[in-house]
């Protein structure tokens, strides 16, 4: 019997981000468990950094999900959760958005959370989403790195900047957990948590963990 598959979709076309996701998700692979496969959306922009970028990948994501008859669950690995609802309309299998899952995981670890955004212009978009979820009262603050997605995935000095912003969220804003607000930050979770000494949530790991549980329980 073949293993069920969880498809993790990187909606941008930067393969370095996809590789970072694969590395970050390796601890979630186990013998006999679902296979976790990461895929790059070829039609996506090199980085999803604006509302236009978010909107541009919604229908390509839906087409990918609709045409996939093999995966047991899907994870959209972008912190803006692009196309999440339209993808859910296109399949009867579960579709997880990493922002939704990342924030919910943070709320299970601490009373308040902070978000590290890639750029200042990302923050209003994230705040709209949190208002829709009804969770702004648990948000301690959100502060930007002012980097591109590509820089967060492979740039020099990214971790040092993340530590600086994380400390500000912890010490100035009162965050008791940190959510990394971009899939490209995945490889920095553990060293960031070691530096800050509070929970740091990689939202893709959070989403795939939820997908694993869903797929496992549906099979047993």
């Amino acid at each position: 019997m073949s293993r069920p598959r969880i498809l993790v979709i990187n909606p941008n076309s930067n393969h370095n981000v996809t590789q970072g996701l694969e590395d970050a998700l390796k601890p979630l692979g186990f013998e006999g468990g679902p296979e976790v496969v990461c895929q790059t959306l070829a039609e996506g922009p090199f980085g999803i950094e604006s509302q236009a970028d978010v909107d541009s990948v919604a229908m390509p994501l839906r087409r990918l999900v609709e045409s996939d008859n093999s995966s047991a669950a899907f994870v959209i690995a972008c912190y803006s959760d692009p196309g999440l609802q339209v993808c859910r309309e296109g399949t009867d299998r579960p579709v997880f958005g990493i922002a939704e899952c990342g924030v919910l995981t943070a709320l299970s670890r601490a009373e308040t959370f902070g978000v590290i955004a890639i750029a200042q212009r990302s923050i209003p978009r994230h705040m709209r989403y949190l208002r829709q979820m009804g969770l702004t009262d648990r948000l301690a603050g959100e502060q930007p790195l002012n980097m591109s997605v590509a820089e967060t995935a492979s740039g020099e000095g990214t971790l040092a900047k993340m530590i600086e912003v994380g400390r500000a969220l912890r010490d100035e804003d009162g965050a008791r957990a940190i959510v990394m607000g971009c899939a490209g930050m995945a490889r920095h979770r553990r060293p960031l948590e070691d530096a800050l000494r509070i929970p740091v949530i990689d939202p893709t790991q959070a989403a795939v963990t939820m997908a694993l549980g869903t797929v496992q329980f549906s099979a047993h």
Side-chain angles (χ1 to χ4, degrees), residues 21-113:
L21 296 175
E22 290 178 352
D23 294 341
L25 296 173
K26 284 179 181 177
L28 294 177
F30 57 93
E31 185 176 356
E35 179 185 18
V36 178
V37 176
C38 297
Q39 180 174 333
T40 306
L41 185 70
E43 303 99 310
F46 196 64
I48 295 179
E49 299 173 359
S50 68
Q51 189 63 53
D53 293 333
V54 172
D55 293 345
S56 73
V57 299
M59 292 313 297
L61 283 166
R62 172 158 176 161
R63 287 192 291 270
L64 191 159
V65 167
E66 283 184 312
S67 65
D68 184 323
N69 296 314
S70 301
S71 298
F74 304 91
V75 172
I76 299 174
C78 170
Y79 195 73
S80 293
D81 285 354
L84 179 60
Q85 301 306 328
V86 77
C87 286
R88 285 173 172 169
E89 285 184 349
T91 181
D92 58 0
R93 288 160 289 168
V95 183
F96 297 86
I98 67 168
E100 187 174 67
C101 295
V103 169
L104 294 175
T105 300
L107 294 177
S108 73
R109 300 289 306 278
E111 178 65 24
T112 59
F113 68 96

Side-chain angles (χ1 to χ4, degrees), residues 9 11 22 29 34 38 58-59 76 88 93 100 107-108 115 125-128 132 188 194 196 203 209:
I9 309 166
E22 290 178 352
C38 297
M59 292 313 297
I76 299 174
R88 285 173 172 169
R93 288 160 289 168
E100 187 174 67
L107 294 177
S108 73
V115 179
R125 185 168 69 251
H126 298 166
M127 291 300 298
R128 285 196 300 271
Q132 290 172 14
H188 301 298
D194 289 344
L196 297 180
T209 298

